[in-house]
Amino acid sequence: MLTPIKNRTVIVTGASKGIGKGIATVFAEQGAHIMVVARGEAEAAGAVAEIKAAGGTAAYTLCDVCDEAQVDAMVAKTAETFGGVDILCANAGIFPQKKIIEMSGADWDAVLQTNLKSTFLCVKACIPYFEKKGRGRVIVTSSITGPVTAYPGWAHYGASKAGQLGFLKTAAMELARYNTTINAVMPGNIITEGLAGLGQDYLDTMAASIPLKRLGDVKDIGYAALFFASDEAAYITGQSIIVDGGQILPESLEAIESI
Ligand code: NAP
């Protein structure tokens, strides 16, 4: 049993849908105060309404996580709304598919900025608030794609997700003086609005390639993030955990077909 994180303030970027909403829901169920961060107002307000309807505490701030001034303002507003910042879940991300031969510099920049630069900006903006509290937690949503696996069309995405893991190792050392840990969850294929956009064929073939024979649920990622945020994980930093239903395990097509 983990010590409850009741009344802790949690920023979840990209919490208006998908994995971010799953993380926000799991943390809200534990009594944490959630700041939902996204660009689209209707979905952000919808996520807050769902959390409140289930008895949780949440507010939203519209913010483009690529923009330093907007990120600084978002973190300041969170502290003002809930009286500080305890936990950052740096989760917002995009995964447009384009093969290298067709990829422009602008395509590359958009993915690297949204997925990787935003992680740095959000962590940096939270440091003064962690220092004020005397402790902090950061949980980064990376991916198996890039650090472990590959998929044509996602060279920029894979680089951004591997980059997050490179960033967090040095960040873990620099954040230690603020009694703050930083760790990553590496999801496999989790059913979200963004993933559904890749089409039913993608979802079906992907589920068939996973030993547990299903895509993950957003709350599967939320529970892993909750562990890293718990008091019991206080001595774990600079690490990552794969949550993928065993997807990276099969050595061949025959291996997965034989189970
Ligand atoms: P999703 O369903 O498309 O949701 C993405 C969320 O990020 C939305 O709330 C979106 O809101 C927000 N967002 C995107 N760009 C933003 C920006 N510039 N500023 C602020 N918010 C922004 O995606 P998902 O599948 O849940 O993925 C979430 C994270 O998990 C990503 O980092 C992704 O790489 C990672 N991941 C997902 C999977 C998977 O199978 N789904 C697997 C591995 C890793 P707005 O568009 O309104 O801003």
Side-chain angles (χ1 to χ4, degrees):
M1 183 68 182
L2 302 177
T3 307
I5 56 161
K6 199 170 163 46
N7 295 331
R8 303 242 169 108
T9 295
V10 189
I11 294 172
V12 187
T13 67
S16 64
K17 52 187 173 180
I19 289 176
K21 193 160 139 190
I23 295 172
T25 304
V26 166
F27 280 60
E29 285 168 357
Q30 300 294 312
H33 301 160
I34 314 295
M35 182 56 83
V36 168
V37 178
R39 295 162 303 174
E41 181 152 30
E43 282 169 323
V48 168
E50 278 181 45
I51 291 169
K52 285 185 170 169
T57 303
Y60 70 85
T61 306
L62 301 183
C63 166
D64 181 344
V65 291
C66 306
D67 184 303
E68 190 162 9
Q70 288 188 38
V71 168
D72 289 348
M74 174 276 287
V75 175
K77 187 178 165 198
T78 304
E80 193 187 305
T81 307
F82 293 124
V85 179
D86 298 294
I87 300 161
L88 164 68
C89 295
N91 165 83
I94 55 172
F95 35 93
Q97 265 183 305
K98 207 169 255 191
K99 297 232 170 87
I100 295 166
I101 189 81
E102 297 152 0
M103 193 184 293
S104 67
D107 293 330
W108 175 272
D109 288 346
V111 170
L112 269 288
Q113 292 211 2
T114 308
N115 298 356
L116 182 55
K117 185 181 174 193
S118 70
T119 305
F120 148 67
L121 291 178
C122 290
V123 167
K124 183 182 177 202
C126 285
I127 289 175
Y129 299 92
F130 294 150
E131 188 175 20
K132 219 173 272 176
K133 286 257 182 167
R135 62 150 202 262
R137 291 297 162 88
V138 181
I139 298 97
V140 174
T141 308
S142 173
S143 177
I144 57 169
T145 311
V148 184
T149 63
Y151 202 111
W154 278 326
H156 49 0
Y157 178 77
S160 73
K161 294 286 144 180
Q164 285 179 309
L165 299 187
F167 167 78
L168 81 75
K169 288 184 172 55
T170 297
M173 293 190 68
E174 294 188 18
L175 293 175
R177 66 181 299 175
Y178 309 109
N179 190 26
T180 292
T181 66
I182 176 168
N183 295 288
V185 180
M186 299 163 70
N189 278 264
I190 310 299
I191 186 72
T192 64
E193 290 86 334
L195 203 78
L198 299 173
Q200 197 56 45
D201 271 3
Y202 174 92
L203 301 181
D204 291 344
T205 44
M206 202 47 92
S209 74
I210 297 169
L212 287 177
K213 295 296 177 201
R214 65 171 177 90
L215 301 182
D217 185 272
V218 292
K219 285 178 116 183
D220 292 325
I221 306 306
Y223 296 128
L226 180 65
F227 170 65
F228 281 135
S230 71
D231 288 352
E232 285 71 15
Y235 204 54
I236 303 173
T237 194
Q239 303 303 310
S240 52
I241 185 168
I242 291 174
V243 182
D244 72 341
Q247 185 176 339
I248 64 162
L249 301 177
E251 285 189 38
S252 69
L253 204 52
E254 196 194 351
I256 186 70
E257 283 171 353
S258 69
I259 63 170

